[in-house]
Amino acid sequence: MLADPGLVTARERAESPERWRGEFAWLARNLGEHSVVLADPATSYLVPMMTGRRVVTTADQHGPPNDPLALARLLGARDALDPFGSWERTREVVRASGADVVALNGRFDGPPRLQYWAPGPAWFAAARRRFDAQPQAFPRLLDAGDFVVYGIRRAALDTLSAAPRPRPFVERWHPGAVDPGTLAGAAAAAAGMPVPLRLTLAADTLAP
């Protein structure tokens, strides 16, 4: 028995899909029975349960264990929704998956604890700018500000072409341009390898 159940339940309430019930109800009402939703893995995990609709990918291992394309679907969704990716890759994933709509979910306070990729506030803002800029291919069907659903017009999507944009969080590595006074810099310089720029650990996964 916990002396303070709030230590557990507070986080559970913060992550509850109840936050999206209105948008999921809209999906259930307005999408055909066999419609396919292209979304991030965390949102996709809940779509079938709360709407009865299909999804391009599932969250990590939460799919049929004998699906040989599970990882390809997971990474395909990542690439198709990548704010800095190419329209050619988006088009490829849409064709392969049969996606009918794109759902962008910005209601995560931070990236969910997933293994391969996860959405977050910065990702949502950048992904939304990318899709909003192409209304002829991705008309907005539902706009709740931090949860957006776009239709997919395949003929218009086929006309989109643009080089991937530079990723602001990636820095070009210049051999020798490291600080040998740091442990990481000394190890990287000795091995001729890139230097890690940042490591982020979730506070609730650490113990004193």
Side-chain angles (χ1 to χ4, degrees), residues 182-200:
T182 65
L183 180 61
M193 298 292 290
V195 179
L197 299 177
R198 184 179 66 183
L199 173 65
T200 302

Side-chain angles (χ1 to χ4, degrees), residues 24 27-37 44 46-55:
F24 283 155
L27 290 172
R29 288 194 309 268
N30 291 279
L31 298 186
E33 180 182 357
H34 300 295
S35 294
V36 178
V37 179
S44 296
L46 298 165
V47 166
M49 174 184 70
M50 299 190 73
T51 73
R53 302 307 179 259
R54 303 177 182 184
V55 290

Side-chain angles (χ1 to χ4, degrees), residues 28 66 74-75 81 113 162 173 189:
N66 60 346
L74 184 64
L75 300 182
L81 301 176
R113 298 184 297 271
W173 176 57

Side-chain angles (χ1 to χ4, degrees), residues 3 8 23 32 35 58 65 81 84-85 87 91 102 109 117 119 125 129 138 157 181 185 190 195-197 199 208:
V8 175
E23 286 69 36
S35 294
T58 55
L81 301 176
F84 307 98
W87 290 120
R91 183 161 52 244
V102 170
D109 295 332
W117 74 280
R129 285 194 297 270
F138 299 98
L157 175 57
V195 179
L197 299 177
L199 173 65

Side-chain angles (χ1 to χ4, degrees), residues 51-76:
T51 73
R53 302 307 179 259
R54 303 177 182 184
V55 290
V56 171
T57 187
T58 55
D60 296 343
Q61 79 278 18
H62 295 281
N66 60 346
D67 181 3
L69 297 177
L71 182 57
R73 299 183 209 280
L74 184 64
L75 300 182

Side-chain angles (χ1 to χ4, degrees), residues 120-187:
W123 172 88
F124 170 80
R128 168 154 196 175
R129 285 194 297 270
R130 179 179 182 238
F131 284 98
D132 280 349
Q134 304 296 339
Q136 74 281 11
F138 299 98
R140 282 197 300 271
L141 305 179
L142 171 69
D143 188 348
D146 55 2
F147 196 112
V148 191
V149 178
Y150 301 89
I152 300 175
R153 293 175 177 162
R154 283 171 169 73
L157 175 57
D158 287 345
T159 68
L160 299 183
S161 179
R165 296 188 296 125
R167 301 174 186 273
F169 46 83
V170 175
E171 297 182 13
R172 184 178 180 83
W173 176 57
H174 299 282
V178 298
D179 181 1
T182 65
L183 180 61

